[in-house]
Amino acid sequence: MNGRRAQSDPRQAIIPRATYRVQLHGGFRFADAQALVPYLAALGISHLYCSPFLRARSGSQHGYDVVDHSQLNPEIGTRADFDALVTALHAHDMGLLADLVPNHMGVLGGDNAWWLDVLENGQASSWAHFFDIDWQSRDPDLAGRVLLPLLGDQYGLVLERGELQMQFAPATGYFTLNYFEHRLPIDPADYAGLLRSAMSRLGDKALPAPSLASLASLIERFQALPGRDATDATAAARRQRDKTLLKRELAAQVAAQPALAEAVAQHLAALNGGAPRHKFDALDALIHRQAWRLAHWRVAGDEINYRRFFDINELAALNMERAEVFEATHRLVMDLAAEGAIDGMRIDHPDGLADPAAYFARLQQHHAKDLGITDAEMRASPGTKLPRELPCKPLYVVVEKIVAAHEKVPLEWAVHGSTGYRFANLAVGVLVAAKAKTRLDRAWRVFVGPEAQDFDHLAWACRREVMASSLAGELGVLSSALHRLARADRRTRDFTRNTLQAALADVVAFFPVYRTYIVDRPSAQDKRFIDWAIGRAQQRSLSSDASVFDFLRQVLMGKTLTGAPAGLSEGYKVFARRLQQFTSPVAAKGIEDTALYRHNRLIALNDVGSEPDHFGVSVAAFHAASQWRAQHWPHTMLATSTHDAKRSEDVRARVAVISEQPAAWRLATRRWARMNRSYKQTVTGAPAPSRNDEYLLYQTLVGSFPVGDVDTAALAVFCKRIERAMLKSVREAKVSSSWMQPQAGYEAALTDFIRALLSPREGNLFLADLRANIPLFAWYGALNSMSLAALKCVSPGVPDFYQGHAAIELTLMDPDNRGEIDHARREALLQRAQSSPVSDWDWPALLANAADGEAKFRLTWAALQMRRRLEGLMRDGSYVPLTVRGPLADHVLAFARVEGDHKVVAVVARLFVSLGLDVGQAPVGAVWGDTVVQLPASWEAGAVLINALTGQVHVPGASLSVASVLRDVPQAFLST
């Protein structure tokens, strides 16, 4: 137990003051993170927040494809490197947060020992129940087998091209089938036939009689192994033990008898085939006997029989609800938490878990037990009562959860909140001019034409698309299960499988949230969401039998009809829990990865967890959400950029500027389209790029074009970034191209178009026009970025900074946002900020050059120093909305954080363009006229408030003059 933990109540989690997210990979290791610690500590960060650092697939750039939970990823450092990082953090009174991946593991390579054992031994594997595999597939060719959709072409063609090659590893005694980097294990029972055929090739190089006898015995014992379908635990254990011993013996015999090694090699060479085609028959028969079935990767959408992370074949889901799976996957991280090496965890994709609430409770209970906290102590601890009689949360836990505006995270979860997607969309939304929705909508629709559709319709249509394509296999499995439930009761027996599948797809397409959380019975919130989805599906499917939806409602609620067969109720509940694990990937793939790339009206509102039809967020809505957060989730994470973001906070802040000048934007896009029409090509009879993609491109350019002098080399780098981002966008949109079927012609035309627009040649009218407009977007966007940072730093919750984003960082979606960060520049910015008191800072100069990011950095640093000084208030203080009155009241958001006699008043300007100022004319001082912030009557008059950004002293009465408070900076933090 470390010193920081020992000084606090062990029953209560260590709540971070502020977190800084880093992406660990082979190019940024533990040692690199350690080098940042002094800088982060001085910035005001309390916790380093790391991407997953358990062993992942070789070459992983993100760590979410974990293959071994029992060791750290050797590509990012050793245990000594990790310990050195933790020691450095503790020396600076900082801690570490770990990103945990409980839902799935990386498979289909040669790195995951558990998965390879399943492929070798099928249901008899010790790890078979660790993975969520449907061993009883409706496809007889998959019964008892796992589909491996990893081939680049049809199976028969791949086989007859000789790309599937048998290989023997003499050092270990393993037979494998190799396909490029994949090494697929062969059922040990088939070793008997392989060795028997090899023996027939010995010829005049026959082994000595004792060796032949020993080999014959070995073959018989391989043949006598219990089968892969062994359900008896003793038989399965004997198979596991014996096959390992037999392989060792085989390796020893091969090592002792070179003739045997040569015979095996000769047999495998013959087995691997060649012309004529029938020479592949024996290899085909061998492959068909395995616990796996090879298939073209396109087959996965229709026939996959293991649950995946979304539609990614390389990530197989785990049965985390099983205690032994939890223990095996969490042993190392829980030990690190008990040692004090990590203070908390970010839980990746908990919506994939069968029972998230039980998982979170188990996590907290395990940690409490490791710390020696007794059940009585836990029950006596203050706090909200949590599931499983667990009223305290000794480990800081946040969950990666997308929360809709009409949804509440279950208060009984033993967590401290989410990772902040909702806050990111609230904070950006409040900087968008909601009144411009109609005008921008018209501009988009006129420019784009029929592709411009309402987002609700797009979300429904895109959900349907992914269920008909990449997730069709999962839908088929669920439909078969639902059909079995229907047949179990004579009153529902006449519902056909096709009818049930159609109704199920309709309901899932209308689901208003990512998932419900039913275990035994639905909550009031769950019932509301189910009723909504059923109602919308019935309304749209007027030609269908309404009774099928009544049946589906009964199943999802876990309520059988009166007199139903015994045990059917439990079957309903099991199905409901399984469906919950399906609605989440449908929403993610349909909305995040499809609809948000088609609905391009204002891409500042298109990000993870966003709802683009909610055009902007009112100040009142921001206040309401903040009050709820302060009351129920005061320690949740506040994000403005994440590794999942499609655009950084600063790009979104720039694009938000468009909402304040819809007429100018309409004219600009119309002008640019005329300038660039000659660069378009015709592909399959249509202009390329499409008008919707062109509209997206213009927003992307104004949101991310570099400031200052951009020379030819820098422009070329930027052009490549835009090409990658746009190609990814059109593939995700799945209209003109896709990941499944890339359209080379369209993508080439799009790339040529981008290159033409960004060419530094003389006479490039568009590039000249773009450069002339960037100063406006960059400057006003920088002011928006400052307001965004201000809201994050003072709102209830834990502010989280994605790598480098304390200053301005104009990055786009992965992999653009995982690039190298110029920390040397940020350290120089820090030194300048620390070199003089805030009262001496030259804010006019900083604001004049706000687009370079230093003004945002200074604001962030000052806010974090205030959080350090007033840590208790900022951690637990209440949220008090403050009313703004006067001519520019709509341009100001004000609130207070209060704890006892201590207060922080935040005054944050917004909607800068419509203030009518020229670019570079700071919105400070007299600009605000008679606008005032009213203070609560209960506050003591004459209390001194000091501005953390300027050192200015204020002694307010019943109100604060905005002109005085924002005398130097358009944001203010006034503290007692």
Side-chain angles (χ1 to χ4, degrees):
M1 189 182 300
N2 69 34
R4 294 175 314 111
R5 166 68 75 179
Q7 293 168 10
S8 62
D9 182 352
R11 296 170 298 179
Q12 299 301 311
I14 296 174
I15 306 300
R17 183 174 63 249
T19 60
Y20 186 91
R21 167 79 176 201
V22 293
Q23 296 294 111
L24 298 171
H25 48 75
F28 190 88
R29 298 158 52 88
F30 289 136
D32 299 299
Q34 182 184 342
L36 288 181
V37 170
Y39 158 73
L40 296 178
L43 181 62
I45 301 297
S46 71
H47 281 75
L48 183 68
Y49 164 33
C50 291
S51 62
F53 49 68
L54 300 183
R55 188 182 169 210
R57 289 189 66 187
S58 178
S60 175
Q61 292 296 299
H62 47 74
Y64 289 99
D65 44 2
V66 175
V67 296
D68 189 342
H69 294 84
S70 68
Q71 59 176 298
L72 301 175
N73 189 345
E75 294 186 3
I76 60 177
T78 64
R79 178 59 194 261
D81 296 328
F82 175 81
D83 290 342
L85 170 60
V86 171
T87 298
L89 288 167
H90 289 179
H92 287 81
D93 197 27
M94 294 175 64
L96 184 67
L97 299 185
D99 196 341
L100 209 59
V101 189
N103 178 66
H104 57 267
M105 292 184 75
V107 297
L108 296 191
D111 301 314
N112 191 324
W114 294 356
W115 184 254
L116 290 176
D117 196 84
V118 172
L119 298 185
E120 182 183 53
N121 300 292
Q123 296 174 81
S125 169
S126 300
W127 315 107
H129 62 286
F130 275 47
F131 296 97
D132 196 349
I133 301 169
D134 178 19
W135 293 105
Q136 311 305 320
S137 174
R138 58 193 171 96
D139 181 351
D141 196 34
L142 278 178
R145 306 172 76 196
V146 180
L147 181 72
L148 298 184
L150 54 84
L151 301 181
D153 206 338
Q154 299 296 325
Y155 165 74
L157 298 177
V158 170
L159 176 70
E160 292 172 15
R161 284 201 296 261
E163 293 174 7
L164 301 176
Q165 294 285 300
M166 283 292 297
Q167 188 175 61
F168 177 68
T172 57
Y174 275 74
F175 284 102
T176 59
L177 181 77
N178 296 353
Y179 177 67
F180 296 105
E181 74 275 16
H182 299 283
R183 303 287 183 270
L184 305 177
I186 298 299
D187 186 339
D190 277 311
Y191 283 34
L194 291 167
L195 293 174
R196 193 175 289 115
S197 296
M199 283 184 67
S200 68
R201 295 178 177 276
L202 287 171
D204 57 359
K205 299 179 181 178
L207 302 178
S211 297
L212 285 173
S214 179
L215 181 57
S217 172
L218 181 63
I219 291 172
E220 290 177 5
R221 283 178 285 152
F222 268 120
Q223 193 163 335
L225 284 171
R228 294 196 311 262
D229 57 352
T231 56
D232 177 71
T234 302
R238 183 164 68 85
R239 174 187 169 94
Q240 288 287 112
R241 181 195 65 227
D242 289 356
K243 58 102 174 176
T244 302
L245 296 174
L246 292 174
K247 288 177 189 174
R248 290 176 185 167
E249 185 176 336
L250 174 59
Q253 290 202 27
V254 169
Q257 303 290 340
L260 176 58
E262 184 178 343
V264 169
Q266 289 176 353
H267 175 59
L268 294 187
L271 196 61
N272 286 334
R277 288 180 56 192
H278 70 267
K279 288 193 175 181
F280 289 102
D281 291 349
L283 181 57
D284 180 39
L286 174 65
I287 291 171
H288 191 70
R289 291 195 298 270
Q290 303 311 304
W292 37 265
R293 179 194 142 198
L294 281 174
H296 187 216
W297 64 270
R298 294 184 188 275
V299 170
D302 291 330
E303 298 187 13
I304 198 76
N305 66 335
Y306 61 88
R307 186 166 59 86
R308 301 167 290 174
F309 173 71
F310 298 164
D311 61 350
I312 303 175
N313 300 334
E314 292 82 6
L315 300 176
L318 294 165
N319 288 319
M320 191 52 66
E321 63 274 15
R322 300 180 69 110
E324 65 271 28
V325 179
F326 179 94
E327 182 60 31
T329 53
H330 287 68
R331 190 172 299 124
L332 174 58
V333 292
M334 297 310 297
D335 286 347
L336 293 175
E339 295 167 11
I342 59 178
D343 288 339
M345 299 177 188
R346 176 233 196 226
I347 305 302
D348 181 67
H349 188 51
D351 278 351
L353 301 174
D355 185 355
Y359 170 81
F360 303 139
R362 176 176 280 157
L363 203 63
Q364 297 287 2
Q365 288 169 327
H366 195 301
H367 188 57
K369 183 178 179 181
D370 288 343
L371 294 179
I373 303 172
T374 66
D375 291 343
E377 285 177 317
M378 296 190 71
R379 279 191 278 271
S381 180
T384 304
K385 187 175 181 181
L386 298 169
R388 318 303 193 258
E389 299 293 321
L390 184 65
C392 80
K393 299 175 281 190
L395 183 67
Y396 181 73
V397 176
V398 290
V399 296
E400 189 235 358
K401 163 68 182 159
I402 290 175
V403 186
H406 49 270
E407 179 184 15
K408 302 298 183 187
V409 174
L411 294 175
E412 66 271 17
W413 283 3
V415 302
H416 292 82
S418 71
T419 54
Y421 295 147
R422 183 67 189 147
F423 178 81
N425 289 299
L426 278 169
V428 170
V430 84
L431 302 177
V432 168
K435 294 178 181 178
K437 178 179 181 179
T438 301
R439 297 176 71 187
L440 269 183
D441 190 72
R442 188 183 306 118
W444 175 52
R445 292 178 186 276
V446 168
F447 189 98
V448 169
E451 275 194 74
Q453 301 179 48
D454 291 340
F455 187 74
D456 281 350
H457 174 77
L458 268 180
W460 171 83
C462 292
R463 279 175 158 136
R464 296 286 308 210
E465 279 186 35
V466 299
M467 282 189 284
S469 54
S470 60
L471 296 177
E474 286 86 344
L475 178 63
V477 170
L478 285 167
S479 300
S480 295
L482 185 61
H483 190 217
R484 288 193 293 270
L485 292 175
R487 290 174 64 85
D489 190 323
R490 62 174 175 262
R491 291 165 291 185
T492 56
R493 191 167 296 160
D494 285 346
F495 292 133
T496 67
R497 185 182 179 281
N498 287 344
T499 297
L500 292 169
Q501 179 160 319
L504 188 60
D506 282 337
V507 170
V508 172
F510 278 117
F511 231 69
V513 290
Y514 270 54
R515 64 165 284 179
T516 51
Y517 298 95
I518 301 169
V519 179
D520 296 318
R521 60 183 62 86
S523 67
Q525 178 172 260
D526 292 334
K527 288 179 182 177
R528 187 167 68 252
F529 294 151
I530 290 171
D531 283 341
W532 167 270
I534 294 281
R536 290 292 303 275
Q538 279 183 303
Q539 187 179 29
R540 190 171 187 91
S541 306
L542 294 177
S543 61
S544 300
D545 183 354
S547 62
V548 73
F549 292 103
D550 294 334
F551 168 63
L552 195 49
R553 179 187 279 106
Q554 294 291 121
V555 173
L556 297 186
M557 298 289 191
K559 295 175 59 178
T560 56
L561 297 172
T562 303
L568 190 56
S569 176
E570 182 57 30
Y572 280 16
K573 292 175 182 177
V574 170
F575 178 85
R577 291 195 290 267
R578 298 293 293 181
L579 181 65
Q580 292 173 145
Q581 293 174 291
F582 177 64
T583 60
S584 178
V586 169
K589 297 304 297 180
I591 297 175
E592 283 182 54
D593 294 344
T594 308
L596 288 179
Y597 289 96
R598 295 185 188 179
H599 191 275
N600 294 325
R601 178 174 59 200
L602 186 69
I603 61 173
L605 300 177
N606 291 27
D607 220 288
V608 181
S610 67
E611 297 166 317
D613 258 6
H614 293 178
F615 195 93
V617 173
S618 68
V619 170
F622 184 89
H623 285 323
S626 299
Q627 284 181 296
W628 172 268
R629 191 184 327 113
Q631 182 179 358
H632 298 285
W633 299 105
H635 306 143
T636 191
M637 201 172 266
L638 306 179
T640 43
S641 289
T642 72
H643 60 284
D644 288 322
K646 303 182 188 308
R647 298 158 193 95
S648 75
E649 63 196 72
D650 302 305
V651 172
R652 297 175 74 191
R654 269 201 199 180
V655 175
V657 172
I658 293 171
S659 71
E660 294 191 71
Q661 44 178 0
W665 177 251
R666 184 184 71 251
L667 293 174
T669 54
R670 189 183 301 171
R671 181 172 69 252
W672 292 342
R674 286 197 303 269
M675 289 177 177
N676 299 327
R677 60 190 172 191
S678 63
Y679 305 135
K680 287 200 170 190
Q681 301 174 36
T682 299
V683 177
T684 62
S690 70
R691 295 283 281 184
N692 200 27
D693 289 340
E694 186 179 1
Y695 202 76
L696 168 63
L697 173 61
Y698 294 146
Q699 292 181 75
T700 303
L701 291 174
V702 301
S704 59
F705 197 87
V707 295
D709 295 328
V710 183
D711 61 21
T712 301
L715 188 62
V717 170
F718 176 70
C719 184
K720 286 292 184 186
R721 291 176 54 215
I722 295 297
E723 288 174 30
R724 287 193 295 267
M726 286 300 299
L727 285 174
K728 182 170 183 176
S729 296
V730 299
R731 288 184 179 181
E732 295 285 14
K734 306 172 189 66
V735 175
S736 300
S737 190
S738 70
W739 296 107
M740 289 281 287
Q741 295 186 358
Q743 299 299 302
Y746 183 87
E747 293 184 358
L750 174 62
T751 300
D752 289 345
F753 186 75
I754 294 168
R755 291 173 182 173
L757 268 56
L758 297 178
S759 169
R761 71 186 183 284
E762 284 189 31
N764 187 340
L765 298 179
F766 169 76
L767 183 58
D769 199 329
L770 178 66
R771 287 182 189 268
N773 279 275
I774 286 303
L776 180 147
F777 287 102
W779 192 70
Y780 283 116
L783 297 181
N784 278 343
S785 290
M786 292 175 67
S787 290
L788 201 58
L791 293 174
K792 177 170 69 175
C793 287
V794 191
S795 291
V798 177
D800 170 53
F801 295 85
Y802 186 61
Q803 52 185 20
H805 285 68
I808 287 179
E809 192 71 19
L810 300 172
T811 55
L812 303 170
M813 76 279 287
D814 171 36
D816 195 62
N817 62 11
R818 298 183 195 271
E820 186 176 348
I821 301 299
D822 186 356
H823 282 111
R825 177 175 181 267
R826 284 155 178 77
E827 291 185 15
L829 293 177
L830 176 64
Q831 291 173 6
R832 288 207 292 271
Q834 293 175 315
S835 65
S836 61
V838 293
S839 58
D840 292 342
W841 287 358
D842 186 356
W843 277 110
L846 290 167
L847 291 174
N849 298 288
D852 69 8
E854 184 163 5
K856 178 189 176 185
F857 186 91
R858 296 262 187 127
L859 179 147
T860 299
W861 177 80
L864 291 179
Q865 302 317 301
M866 183 183 70
R867 286 191 71 97
R868 192 201 304 267
R869 180 171 58 85
L870 301 171
E871 186 162 0
L873 163 63
M874 300 309 299
R875 183 183 62 237
D876 300 317
S878 62
Y879 181 96
V880 180
L882 299 178
T883 301
V884 183
R885 298 196 185 281
L888 296 179
D890 287 346
H891 296 266
V892 179
L893 188 158
F895 60 89
R897 303 294 309 285
V898 179
E899 185 183 48
D901 295 331
H902 298 289
K903 303 176 181 67
V904 170
V905 176
V907 181
V908 179
R910 69 187 194 113
L911 307 180
F912 296 102
V913 181
S914 45
L915 287 172
L917 305 176
D918 294 332
V919 172
Q921 184 182 354
V924 297
V927 166
W928 297 100
D930 296 330
T931 308
V932 297
V933 176
Q934 291 190 317
L935 301 179
S938 59
W939 284 16
E940 179 184 354
V944 174
L945 298 175
I946 301 174
N947 191 338
L949 295 178
T950 65
Q952 182 184 4
V953 175
H954 298 270
V955 184
S959 64
L960 280 168
S961 164
V962 174
S964 176
V965 171
L966 303 186
R967 185 191 67 184
D968 302 301
V969 196
Q971 299 83 21
F973 313 125
L974 311 179
S975 66
T976 52

